[in-house]
């Protein structure tokens, strides 16, 4: 039946979907896309090209006819390469046959894990400010999102004490993301040990999104799955979007005890079948050939981190020093504008795009996310313009 009454369609959409607001990032970038000559500190994706040998091998795969489905779990050769990489890098061993699942980005892995673990009404604990999809993904899985606020005074650190006050008998899952989007915070082994103890005491499963693991600047990343006792209650997630600059390949994976992995696989096989075959081939190339040096990319990000952090502080925007990922999250609250108004005016008056902190949860209000995944020249110009803007509104 044809109708012009849009309300009648709204009434048909599931309540929990209607109630979820659109992503603050998307709204903002709809405005950015209407503008020209913008310096963007907005997008959370590497400005580096996907390594050439990966792109070249993708073309060869196509030529050789890698255009059919793979097994639901993904190519065994890729899972074996991932098992070897995860063991070497994160010091945790997983069985390629039964514990590793190839997904369409970490995004799909997050969705699968939540849907596999959460019964309607179960509480899922996560820390804010956080990646924009966490809260909606919990709601899509019919869970109840419970946010723990981290604070700039202590570098957006997450501790056992912060989490403890929010645990109830309905808490089932704890979601972690370090290095963190949007704050650039990391987690220390000591803090992880406290969090691990808490997870054991309350029998929580931990979903650990470690997509930025390779991008740390002052100390090495530690995975919660490597803390004694945690491998068997952790769903470890990683992917190729950030450290290999392969966002468009949409490649991620989860490593988890066989029963949990199987539950995720069940949803994946009915909803996705498998991840893209050529992307899986490309990921084998990325993991097994040494041509690409992540270390060089990390050095460049470190140089930019140092510059952006110091510039923000000099401009008068206090900022917790980012220790990982490629984001700085300075405070703008004292300048008297909401984070959305600040970002909009910065965009309109100085042609610099950065994301309002409120997009990352309520406690992100009063902050701005500046991604330094762009060239040093762009960053220098962006900081000059931001200084002008701050001086004008102060
Ligand atoms: N997790 C975090 C913390 C992210 O920042 C992002 C993307 O920005 C994702 C997951 C999504 O990654 P993917 O491209 O693997 O789906």
């Amino acid at each position: 039946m044809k109708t012009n009454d849009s309300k009648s369609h709204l009434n048909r959409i599931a309540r929990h979907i209607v109630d979820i607001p659109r992503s603050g990032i998307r709204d903002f970038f709809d405005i950015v896309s209407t503008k020209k000559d913008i310096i963007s500190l907005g997008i959370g994706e590497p400005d580096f090209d996907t390594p050439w040998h990966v792109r070249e091998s993708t073309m060869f795969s196509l030529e050789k006819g890698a255009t059919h489905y793979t097994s639901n779990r993904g190519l065994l050769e890729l899972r074996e390469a991932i098992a070897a990489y995860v063991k070497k890098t994160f010091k945790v061993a997983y069985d390629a046959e039964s514990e590793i699942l190839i997904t369409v980005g970490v995004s799909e892995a997050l969705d699968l894990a939540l849907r596999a673990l959460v019964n309607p009404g179960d509480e899922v604990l996560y820390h804010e400010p956080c990646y924009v999809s966490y809260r909606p993904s919990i709601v899509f899985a019919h869970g109840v999102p419970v946010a723990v606020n981290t604070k700039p005074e202590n570098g957006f650190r997450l501790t056992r004490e912060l989490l403890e006050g929010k645990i109830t008998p309905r808490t089932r899952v704890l979601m972690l993301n370090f290095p963190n989007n949007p704050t650039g915070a990391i987690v220390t082994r000591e803090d992880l040990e406290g969090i691990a103890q808490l997870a054991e005491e309350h029998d929580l499963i931990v979903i650990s999104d470690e997509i930025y693991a390779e991008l740390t600047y002052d100390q090495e990343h530690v995975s919660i799955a490597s803390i004694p006792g945690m491998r068997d209650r952790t769903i470890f997630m990683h992917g190729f979007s950030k450290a290999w600059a392969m966002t468009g390949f949409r490649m991620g994976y989860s490593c988890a005890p066989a029963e949990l992995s199987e539950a995720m696989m069940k949803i994946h096989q009915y909803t996705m079948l498998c991840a893209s075959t050529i992307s899986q081939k490309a990921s084998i190339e990325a993991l097994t050939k040494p041509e690409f040096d992540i270390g060089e990319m990390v050095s460049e990000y470190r140089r930019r981190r140092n510059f952006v952090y110091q510039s923000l502080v000099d401009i008068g925007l206090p900022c917790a020093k980012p220790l990982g990922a490629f984001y700085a999250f300075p405070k703008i609250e004292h300048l008297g504008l909401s984070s959305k108004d600040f970002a909009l005016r910065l965009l309109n008056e100085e042609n610099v795009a950065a994301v309002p902190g409120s997009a990352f949860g309520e406690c992100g209000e009063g902050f701005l996310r500046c991604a330094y995944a762009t060239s040093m020249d762009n960053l220098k110009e962006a900081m000059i313009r931001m200084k002008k803007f701050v001086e004008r509104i102060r």
Side-chain angles (χ1 to χ4, degrees), residues 252-299:
Y253 56 89
S254 66
C255 303
E259 282 175 348
L260 297 179
S261 188
E262 189 58 26
M264 291 169 66
M265 215 284 283
K266 223 194 256 183
I267 307 170
H268 174 77
Q269 74 181 4
Y270 288 126
T271 52
M272 208 59 70
L273 282 111
C274 66
S276 150
T277 304
I278 44 171
S279 295
Q280 292 189 53
K281 291 278 188 189
S283 304
I284 294 172
E285 173 76 18
L287 273 189
T288 56
K289 303 280 160 54
E291 279 91 334
F292 179 56
D293 185 2
I294 292 179
E296 268 176 35
M297 192 168 69
V298 172
S299 301

Side-chain angles (χ1 to χ4, degrees), residues 136-204:
S137 299
I138 296 166
V139 174
F140 295 157
H142 300 281
V144 177
V146 178
V148 172
N149 294 350
T150 58
K151 305 230 161 57
E153 300 84 88
N154 55 3
F156 295 101
R157 189 175 151 210
L158 183 69
T159 59
R160 174 195 167 108
E161 290 67 35
L162 275 182
L163 291 165
E164 214 153 23
K166 296 276 185 161
I167 291 188
T168 77
R170 298 235 56 172
T171 313
R172 297 255 302 165
V173 176
L174 168 63
M175 292 175 79
L176 299 179
N177 168 227
F178 294 105
N180 182 258
N181 173 8
T183 63
I186 62 158
V187 68
T188 62
R189 180 180 295 280
E190 198 188 2
D191 286 341
L192 279 179
E193 282 166 356
I195 295 167
Q197 207 178 36
L198 189 78
E200 280 189 32
E201 283 165 21
H202 295 273
D203 198 19
L204 307 179

